[in-house]
Amino acid sequence: MSATGKRAIHRCQSCGGTSSRWMGRCPSCGEWNTLVEEPGLITPTRVSPGRGNEPESIADGTSDEEERFTTGLDELDRVL
C-alpha cells in the first residue's frame, strides 16, 4: 500500500480485466504480459460489523424439524 492509502491494481491492456497483483497471464482473457500497473485506483475499505452478527444462544434458535435420511451406517448417521 502506498503512502496515500491507495493500492495499485493491474489492468489488462487487451481486455480491461483487473488483478490485485501482477501476473504473467491475464486471468480474464488469458493473454500473456498484458497486465500494466495503475497505481492509486483502489482505496482499501474497512469491514464493519453489521446488524444481526451477534452470537445467539442455541436455546434461542428455531428448530425446523426435517425428515432425516439414513445412510445405513449408524455412526455416520449419529454424527450427521
Side-chain angles (χ1 to χ4, degrees), residues 1-2 4-9 20 37-45:
M1 191 167 16
S2 68
T4 62
K6 294 184 178 185
R7 296 181 185 195
I9 62 167
S20 61
E37 183 177 1
E38 295 181 358
L41 294 178
I42 296 179
T43 303
T45 58

Side-chain angles (χ1 to χ4, degrees), residues 2-36:
S2 68
T4 62
K6 294 184 178 185
R7 296 181 185 195
I9 62 167
H10 295 82
R11 185 174 310 276
C12 177
Q13 299 302 297
S14 208
C15 72
T18 59
S19 174
S20 61
R21 62 188 175 99
W22 185 87
M23 297 180 181
R25 188 174 189 178
C26 173
S28 297
C29 69
E31 291 290 321
W32 288 95
N33 298 320
T34 57
L35 293 175
V36 176

